[in-house]
CSV table of all heavy atoms in Angstrom, one decimal:
chain,number,residue,atom,x,y,z
A,42,CYS,N,1.1,12.0,-8.7
A,42,CYS,CA,1.2,12.0,-10.2
A,42,CYS,C,1.7,13.4,-10.6
A,42,CYS,O,1.1,14.4,-10.2
A,42,CYS,CB,-0.2,11.7,-10.8
A,42,CYS,SG,-0.2,12.0,-12.6
A,44,TYR,N,1.3,15.1,-13.3
A,44,TYR,CA,0.3,15.9,-14.0
A,44,TYR,C,-0.6,16.6,-13.0
A,44,TYR,O,-0.9,17.8,-13.0
A,44,TYR,CB,-0.5,15.1,-15.0
A,44,TYR,CG,0.3,14.5,-16.1
A,44,TYR,CD1,0.7,13.2,-16.2
A,44,TYR,CD2,0.8,15.4,-17.1
A,44,TYR,CE1,1.4,12.7,-17.2
A,44,TYR,CE2,1.5,14.9,-18.2
A,44,TYR,CZ,1.9,13.5,-18.2
A,44,TYR,OH,2.6,13.0,-19.2
A,45,PHE,N,-1.0,15.8,-12.0
A,45,PHE,CA,-1.9,16.4,-11.0
A,45,PHE,C,-1.2,17.5,-10.2
A,45,PHE,O,-1.7,18.6,-10.0
A,45,PHE,CB,-2.3,15.2,-10.0
A,45,PHE,CG,-3.0,15.6,-8.8
A,45,PHE,CD1,-4.2,16.4,-8.8
A,45,PHE,CD2,-2.6,15.3,-7.5
A,45,PHE,CE1,-4.9,16.8,-7.7
A,45,PHE,CE2,-3.2,15.7,-6.4
A,45,PHE,CZ,-4.4,16.4,-6.4
A,51,CYS,N,-6.6,17.4,-15.2
A,51,CYS,CA,-7.0,16.0,-15.3
A,51,CYS,C,-8.2,15.7,-14.4
A,51,CYS,O,-8.7,16.6,-13.7
A,51,CYS,CB,-5.8,15.1,-15.0
A,51,CYS,SG,-5.3,15.2,-13.3
A,52,TYR,N,-8.6,14.4,-14.3
A,52,TYR,CA,-9.7,14.1,-13.4
A,52,TYR,C,-9.5,14.6,-12.0
A,52,TYR,O,-10.4,15.0,-11.3
A,52,TYR,CB,-9.9,12.5,-13.4
A,52,TYR,CG,-10.4,12.0,-14.7
A,52,TYR,CD1,-9.6,11.2,-15.5
A,52,TYR,CD2,-11.7,12.1,-15.1
A,52,TYR,CE1,-10.1,10.7,-16.7
A,52,TYR,CE2,-12.2,11.6,-16.2
A,52,TYR,CZ,-11.4,10.9,-17.1
A,52,TYR,OH,-11.9,10.3,-18.2
A,53,LYS,N,-8.3,14.4,-11.5
A,53,LYS,CA,-8.0,14.8,-10.1
A,53,LYS,C,-8.1,16.3,-9.9
A,53,LYS,O,-8.3,16.7,-8.8
A,53,LYS,CB,-6.6,14.3,-9.6
A,53,LYS,CG,-6.5,12.8,-9.6
A,53,LYS,CD,-7.0,12.2,-8.4
A,53,LYS,CE,-6.8,10.7,-8.4
A,53,LYS,NZ,-7.8,10.0,-7.5
A,58,THR,N,-10.1,14.2,-18.3
A,58,THR,CA,-9.1,13.4,-19.0
A,58,THR,C,-8.0,13.0,-18.1
A,58,THR,O,-7.9,13.6,-17.0
A,58,THR,CB,-8.6,14.2,-20.3
A,58,THR,OG1,-7.9,13.3,-21.1
A,58,THR,CG2,-7.7,15.3,-19.9
A,59,CYS,N,-7.2,12.0,-18.6
A,59,CYS,CA,-6.1,11.6,-17.8
A,59,CYS,C,-4.8,11.7,-18.7
A,59,CYS,O,-4.8,11.1,-19.8
A,59,CYS,CB,-6.2,10.1,-17.4
A,59,CYS,SG,-4.7,9.4,-16.7
A,60,PHE,N,-3.9,12.6,-18.3
A,60,PHE,CA,-2.7,12.8,-19.2
A,60,PHE,C,-1.7,11.7,-19.1
A,60,PHE,O,-0.9,11.5,-20.0
A,60,PHE,CB,-2.1,14.2,-18.8
A,60,PHE,CG,-3.0,15.3,-19.1
A,60,PHE,CD1,-3.8,15.8,-18.1
A,60,PHE,CD2,-3.0,15.9,-20.4
A,60,PHE,CE1,-4.7,16.9,-18.4
A,60,PHE,CE2,-3.9,16.9,-20.7
A,60,PHE,CZ,-4.7,17.5,-19.6
A,61,SER,N,-1.7,11.0,-18.0
A,61,SER,CA,-0.7,9.9,-17.8
A,61,SER,C,-1.0,8.7,-18.7
A,61,SER,O,-0.1,8.0,-19.1
A,61,SER,CB,-0.6,9.5,-16.4
A,61,SER,OG,-1.7,8.8,-16.0
A,69,HIS,N,3.1,4.7,-12.8
A,69,HIS,CA,1.6,4.6,-12.6
A,69,HIS,C,1.2,3.2,-12.4
A,69,HIS,O,2.0,2.3,-12.3
A,69,HIS,CB,0.9,5.4,-13.7
A,69,HIS,CG,1.1,6.9,-13.6
A,69,HIS,ND1,2.3,7.5,-13.9
A,69,HIS,CD2,0.2,7.8,-13.3
A,69,HIS,CE1,2.1,8.8,-13.7
A,69,HIS,NE2,0.9,9.0,-13.3
A,76,PRO,N,-10.6,5.7,-14.6
A,76,PRO,CA,-10.1,6.6,-15.6
A,76,PRO,C,-8.8,7.3,-15.1
A,76,PRO,O,-8.1,7.8,-15.9
A,76,PRO,CB,-11.2,7.6,-15.8
A,76,PRO,CG,-12.0,7.6,-14.6
A,76,PRO,CD,-11.9,6.2,-14.0
A,77,SER,N,-8.5,7.3,-13.8
A,77,SER,CA,-7.2,7.8,-13.3
A,77,SER,C,-6.3,6.6,-13.1
A,77,SER,O,-6.7,5.5,-12.7
A,77,SER,CB,-7.4,8.6,-12.0
A,77,SER,OG,-6.1,8.8,-11.4
A,78,TYR,N,-5.0,6.8,-13.3
A,78,TYR,CA,-4.0,5.7,-13.2
A,78,TYR,C,-3.0,6.0,-12.1
A,78,TYR,O,-1.9,5.5,-12.1
A,78,TYR,CB,-3.3,5.5,-14.5
A,78,TYR,CG,-4.3,4.9,-15.5
A,78,TYR,CD1,-5.1,5.7,-16.3
A,78,TYR,CD2,-4.4,3.5,-15.7
A,78,TYR,CE1,-6.1,5.1,-17.1
A,78,TYR,CE2,-5.3,2.9,-16.6
A,78,TYR,CZ,-6.1,3.7,-17.3
A,78,TYR,OH,-7.0,3.2,-18.2
A,79,ILE,N,-3.4,6.8,-11.1
A,79,ILE,CA,-2.4,7.0,-10.0
A,79,ILE,C,-2.1,5.7,-9.3
A,79,ILE,O,-2.8,4.7,-9.4
A,79,ILE,CB,-3.0,8.0,-8.9
A,79,ILE,CG1,-4.3,7.4,-8.3
A,79,ILE,CG2,-3.3,9.4,-9.5
A,79,ILE,CD1,-4.4,7.6,-6.8
U,2,LIG,S1,-3.2,9.5,-13.4
U,2,LIG,FE1,-4.8,10.6,-12.3
U,2,LIG,S2,-3.7,12.3,-11.4
U,2,LIG,FE2,-2.4,11.5,-13.1
U,2,LIG,S3,-3.0,12.6,-14.9
U,2,LIG,FE3,-4.2,10.8,-14.8
U,2,LIG,S4,-6.1,11.5,-13.8
U,2,LIG,FE4,-4.6,13.0,-13.3
Side-chain angles (χ1 to χ4, degrees):
C42 171
Y44 294 107
F45 170 58
C51 69
Y52 290 108
K53 295 279 180 203
T58 190
C59 171
F60 295 94
S61 73
H69 288 70
S77 166
Y78 289 83
I79 61 141

